[in-house]
């Protein structure tokens, strides 16, 4: 059975529909490919739904680490309506009315630099949240995608690509107009990444099974035409993708290990041996190191990119899932799913620096472009824990739903981009 967050993400979607859940981390059986008619109907439905807006999970109280009263929520800010002259200052309370969360007063370290936007894939609510990074404020949840488990943005911030894992699609969204274009890539795409030059998007077509007949492809999308121009066979159940800073290589985790794609040739150039059943992947800003996680063995791997060899195997927390590295290349953060924490390591993997308690089932992690904050998406509690990278402590939490809502919004991927 494929190791992946499809079990968690699709379970979140079921929870939103009122389905009882007993094993949120179990992946469902492989699904048969849809007929041409059903695929066409699904595509049309996804196109119509992608830019619609509607109710979001509300904000609720929580005992989670770092959650403060009035913390930002997935409810987008709606400016208040000006009162007519002479109108009374008070007004009746409206249940679940959106409010304007102020910039977080709990950030004790250096706040994130202004001028950046985060896009967060909310698998449980079938949306992508747009967040003002400096203010920790949700500005929109208009982008929709069935069980969104992956999100990426072009460097010019004009297009957002969403892995609609509940469908066979990646959805390309114009960031300004929200016009959505569904791109059929194959069964259960779990991740999407955009090349450093913005010319291509790679989609990990994870599929439903690691055995015969399962998926082994990465779909290469031309971002100018939003069409699939190539498929690269990387091995069973591709999961996560990270580009080298120069764009020459793309690293893909699979059920077999860590594959390396030569992006110019559009083919696998090699494989890093000794990392079976890899999940998360990240590349240092100088391209010299690659980091990969192996959840079933509780391991973090440090890879010499030039020689494609493992230089260190690090014992991580319980079920290390996602990994990110700071822009200065000094620290590595790992979302330890079953430890409910983020592990912090030095770049070489020789020193374990800290374990930062976050929410339940952390499954995504990303560092702000200026390196001041680390955002950890908590799949079960549906929140994003914001860690001050200088102190390695949670300073505020963006909430995705009340504690009574199983899995909340399930933030399973986070992408940052400089505002145009």
């Amino acid at each position: 059975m494929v190791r992946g967050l499809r079990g968690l993400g699709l379970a979140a979607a079921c929870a939103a529909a009122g389905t009882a859940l007993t094993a949120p981390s179990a992946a469902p059986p492989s699904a048969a490919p849809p007929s041409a008619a059903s695929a066409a109907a699904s595509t049309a439905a996804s196109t119509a739904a992608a830019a619609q807006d509607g109710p979001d999970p509300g904000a609720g109280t929580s005992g989670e680490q770092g959650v403060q009263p009035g913390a930002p929520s997935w409810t987008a800010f709606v400016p208040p309506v000006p009162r007519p002259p002479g109108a009374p200052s008070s007004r009746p309370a409206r249940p679940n009315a959106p409010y304007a969360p102020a910039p977080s007063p709990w950030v004790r370290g250096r706040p994130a630099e202004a001028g950046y936007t985060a896009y967060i894939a909310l698998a449980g609510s079938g949306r992508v949240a747009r967040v003002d990074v400096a203010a920790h404020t949700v500005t929109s949840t208009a982008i929709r995608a069935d069980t969104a488990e992956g999100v990426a943005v072009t460097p010019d911030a004009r297009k957002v690509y969403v892995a609609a894992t509940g469908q066979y699609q990646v959805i390309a969204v114009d960031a300004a107009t929200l016009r959505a274009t569904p791109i059929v890539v194959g069964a259960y795409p779990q991740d999407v990444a955009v090349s450093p030059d913005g010319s291509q998007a790679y989609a990990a077509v994870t599929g439903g099974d690691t055995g015969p007949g399962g998926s082994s492809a990465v779909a290469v999308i031309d971002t100018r035409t939003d069409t699939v121009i190539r498929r690269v066979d990387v091995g069973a159940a591709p999961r996560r993708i990270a580009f080298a800073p120069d764009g020459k290589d793309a690293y893909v985790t699979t059920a077999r290990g860590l594959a390396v794609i030569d992006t110019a040739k559009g083919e696998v150039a090699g494989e890093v041996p000794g990392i079976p059943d890899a999940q998360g992947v990240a590349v240092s800003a100088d391209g010299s190191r690659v980091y990969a996680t192996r959840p079933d063995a509780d391991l973090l791997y440090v890879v010499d990119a030039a020689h494609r060899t493992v230089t260190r195997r690090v014992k991580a927390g319980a079920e290390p899932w996602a990994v990110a590295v700071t822009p200065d290349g000094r620290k590595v953060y790992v979302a330890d799913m079953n430890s409910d924490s983020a592990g912090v390591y030095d770049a070489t993997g020789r020193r374990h620096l800290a374990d930062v308690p976050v929410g339940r089932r952390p499954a995504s992690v990303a560092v702000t472009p200026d390196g001041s904050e680390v955002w950890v998406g908590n799949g079960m509690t549906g929140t994003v824990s914001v860690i001050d990278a200088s102190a390695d402590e949670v300073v505020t939490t963006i909430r995705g739903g009340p504690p009574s809502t199983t899995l909340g919004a399930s933030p399973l991927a986070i992408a940052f981009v400089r505002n145009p």
Side-chain angles (χ1 to χ4, degrees):
M1 183 174 291
V2 63
R3 170 178 287 276
L5 270 174
R6 194 158 52 83
L8 183 58
L10 292 180
C14 293
T19 302
L21 299 177
T22 57
S25 62
S30 174
S35 65
S38 63
S42 174
T43 298
S46 296
T47 305
Q52 293 176 355
D53 206 353
D56 283 347
T61 59
S62 172
E64 181 182 345
Q65 172 78 13
V67 173
Q68 304 288 345
S73 78
W74 298 130
T75 304
F77 168 58
V78 176
V81 178
R83 292 196 311 273
S89 59
S90 61
R91 58 186 180 187
R94 293 183 296 157
N96 299 321
Y99 64 93
S104 170
W106 304 285
V107 176
R108 291 183 287 278
R110 177 168 59 92
E113 184 178 307
Y116 287 93
T117 293
Y119 288 89
I120 303 176
L122 306 175
S125 64
R127 295 178 182 273
V128 173
R130 188 178 66 203
V131 182
D132 182 312
V133 171
H136 302 143
T137 302
V138 177
T139 58
S140 172
T141 53
I143 297 174
R144 299 185 66 179
D146 186 359
T147 320
E149 291 193 16
V151 64
V153 193
T154 54
D156 61 9
R158 293 183 179 180
K159 276 189 181 180
V160 182
Y161 288 85
V162 187
T165 313
Q167 300 292 330
Y168 283 35
Q169 303 168 348
V170 165
I171 298 175
V173 182
D174 184 300
T177 66
L178 298 183
R179 181 181 180 273
T181 303
I183 307 163
V184 176
V185 294
Y188 306 124
Q190 192 177 97
D191 192 27
V192 61
V194 172
S195 61
D197 65 2
S199 65
Q200 295 182 337
Y202 278 27
V205 184
T206 308
D209 200 325
T210 58
S215 175
S216 61
V218 166
V220 180
I221 298 168
D222 183 327
T223 58
R224 182 180 59 84
T225 61
D226 286 333
T227 57
V228 175
I229 57 173
R230 184 180 296 111
R231 294 181 185 275
V232 184
D233 189 333
V234 294
R239 292 155 183 174
R240 293 284 157 178
I241 304 168
F243 282 93
D246 60 10
K248 293 181 179 179
D249 293 325
Y251 298 89
V252 185
T253 57
T254 73
R256 190 170 66 189
L258 181 63
V260 186
I261 297 176
D262 181 322
T263 58
K265 296 180 179 179
E267 61 185 36
V268 172
E271 188 173 287
V272 178
I275 313 179
D277 212 20
Q279 175 62 36
V281 62
V283 186
S284 62
D286 63 2
S288 65
R289 291 190 178 101
V290 182
Y291 301 90
T293 62
R294 182 183 174 189
D296 63 355
D298 299 339
L299 290 174
L300 167 68
Y301 293 83
V302 183
V303 176
D304 180 320
H307 297 93
R308 296 176 186 164
T309 57
V310 173
T311 59
R312 186 163 292 272
R313 299 193 329 164
V314 182
K315 190 66 176 177
E319 203 168 2
W321 201 265
V323 59
V325 57
T326 56
D328 61 10
R330 294 183 178 181
K331 290 199 289 188
V332 178
Y333 290 80
V334 179
D336 295 321
M337 184 179 286
N338 280 343
S339 296
D340 294 343
S341 64
V344 189
Y345 305 85
D346 79 306
T348 65
R350 288 185 171 86
R351 288 194 301 147
H352 173 227
L353 305 176
D355 286 311
V356 184
V358 290
R360 294 181 62 196
R361 305 277 286 178
S364 57
V365 60
V367 184
T368 55
D370 66 353
S372 65
E373 294 178 348
V374 181
W375 290 26
V376 180
N378 305 305
M380 186 68 78
T381 43
T383 61
V384 169
S385 299
V386 179
I387 297 172
D388 173 4
S390 63
D392 284 333
E393 62 178 347
V394 174
V395 290
T396 193
T397 300
I398 301 173
R399 296 179 296 176
S404 60
T405 303
T406 304
L407 300 181
S410 299
L412 301 188
I414 303 167
F416 295 106
V417 67
R418 182 184 290 275
N419 298 335

